[in-house]
Amino acid sequence: MTVITRRTLLGGAGLLLSGCDKLAEQPGFRKILFSGEKINQGLQRALADRGALAPEFRTDQMSPNFRTNGTRNPGTPDYDAHVATRFADWRVLVGGLVDRPLSLSVRDFGAMPQRAQITRHDCVEGWSAIGKWQGPMLGTVLKAAGVRSSARYIVFTCADLYNDAPYYESIDMVDAFHPQTILAWAMNDQRLSVGHGAPVRLRVERQLGYKHAKYVAKIDAVASLDGIGRGRGGYWEDAVGYDWYAGI
C-alpha cells in the first residue's frame, strides 16, 4: 500500500499547481479545491490532542548549521536603519480586536516571562534543523493586550516585502495559545540574526516552517481573514496555494 504523506503532497505541489493555474483562478474551482484543506484541518484537530507538545531535544542534538528560510534580509531602508541601531527603536504593534493596544520593544519582549525550547524546524522544501528559541509565549502577549473573544485569528505583518507588499501569516486561536507558540527574540542563546528573523519572529512549533513569520512588525487579532491579502491567510497560501493549516 502506498502511503501519501503531507510532505509527499507538498513536494508535488509545484507540478500540480502549474497545471491548475488557470482553473484555480476561477472562484468556483477554488472553492472546491480548498474545501479539502478545511476537511484536513478538521480531521487533524479531531484526531490530535490540541494541547500536545511538539518534540523537544537536548542541547547535544542541536544542528551545527541551521539554514535560513524565506527572506534572508528585508534590505529596505527602514529595516537597514534598525539594523544599524541594533533594533533599539523597533516596535511590534499589537492591535485589532484587543482592549489594550500595545507597542512593544525588543527589551519589552525580554522582560516578559520567558520560554526556551529546543525544537525541530521542518521546511516545506524538505529540510529540517534543530535549534533553541527563547521568548515570551504569544498567549502572554495577547492576554496583556486584552484580546477579545470575538477574535478568531492572529495575523502577523512583517518587515520583508514580496511584490512590494509586506509578508504576512496567520494562525488560529488554538495555535496562538499553544504553550510552544512564542515570539522569539533569541536563537541558540544569542539575539536573532538578520537571516533568522531579527529582531522578533514567530515560532509555532506544530506547523511547517513557512508559518514561522520572521521580522514581525504587527500582530493583529481579527474575526476573519477576508480582505487580508487574497484571503487565504498568508503570503505563500495566496501565491502558490500552500495549506493554511500546515500542521505537523
Side-chain angles (χ1 to χ4, degrees):
M1 180 178 69
T2 301
V3 178
I4 301 176
T5 65
R6 173 178 289 272
R7 182 166 291 182
T8 303
L9 291 170
L10 289 171
L15 178 61
L16 173 64
L17 291 167
S18 66
C20 295
D21 282 346
K22 291 184 179 179
L23 279 174
E25 291 174 359
Q26 300 178 20
F29 181 81
R30 288 177 65 85
K31 184 176 182 180
I32 295 171
L33 180 65
F34 297 132
S35 64
E37 178 183 322
K38 294 181 179 179
I39 294 171
N40 174 68
Q41 177 184 351
L43 286 173
Q44 193 160 4
R45 291 265 193 229
L47 294 173
D49 177 359
R50 296 169 77 132
L53 298 178
E56 297 192 22
F57 300 86
R58 303 185 307 270
T59 55
D60 63 297
Q61 294 174 300
M62 291 166 58
S63 300
N65 297 301
F66 197 115
R67 294 168 57 179
T68 57
N69 65 304
T71 302
R72 289 169 172 77
N73 187 337
T76 64
D78 183 63
Y79 185 82
D80 288 344
H82 282 294
V83 172
T85 63
R86 300 195 64 195
F87 303 101
D89 298 320
W90 187 274
R91 294 293 183 275
V92 176
L93 304 180
V94 184
L97 297 175
V98 300
D99 294 326
R100 298 177 293 276
L102 303 175
S103 176
L104 300 173
S105 67
V106 180
R107 180 172 293 183
D108 291 332
F109 284 110
M112 292 179 177
Q114 301 289 293
R115 179 180 174 91
Q117 54 200 31
I118 301 175
T119 54
R120 187 181 65 229
H121 180 99
D122 292 310
C123 182
V124 71
E125 295 173 347
W127 60 269
S128 298
I130 295 173
K132 180 179 181 180
W133 308 93
Q134 179 178 323
M137 289 187 292
L138 175 59
T140 299
V141 175
L142 295 177
K143 289 176 182 177
V147 66
R148 299 174 188 169
S149 60
S150 54
R152 294 185 58 206
Y153 304 97
I154 303 299
V155 177
F156 305 87
T157 304
C158 306
D160 48 336
L161 304 179
Y162 282 74
N163 299 320
D164 297 322
Y167 185 89
Y168 84 102
E169 256 304 341
S170 65
I171 57 177
D172 68 11
M173 303 306 287
V174 174
D175 288 313
F177 281 94
H178 188 279
Q180 288 175 315
T181 299
I182 68 174
L183 294 166
W185 58 271
M187 175 186 179
N188 296 345
D189 296 318
Q190 298 182 15
R191 288 181 63 165
L192 284 176
S193 67
V194 168
H196 287 106
V200 178
R201 73 174 292 168
L202 173 69
R203 293 299 305 178
V204 52
E205 302 298 353
R206 296 186 63 190
Q207 304 233 2
L208 287 169
Y210 63 86
K211 300 295 291 188
H212 300 226
K214 303 195 297 185
Y215 317 112
V216 173
K218 287 181 59 184
I219 301 171
D220 289 299
V222 301
S224 171
L225 299 175
D226 293 344
I228 302 172
R230 294 177 62 184
R232 297 211 60 230
Y235 171 79
W236 290 111
E237 293 91 323
D238 288 344
V240 296
Y242 281 0
D243 282 356
W244 171 77
Y245 183 68
I248 52 176

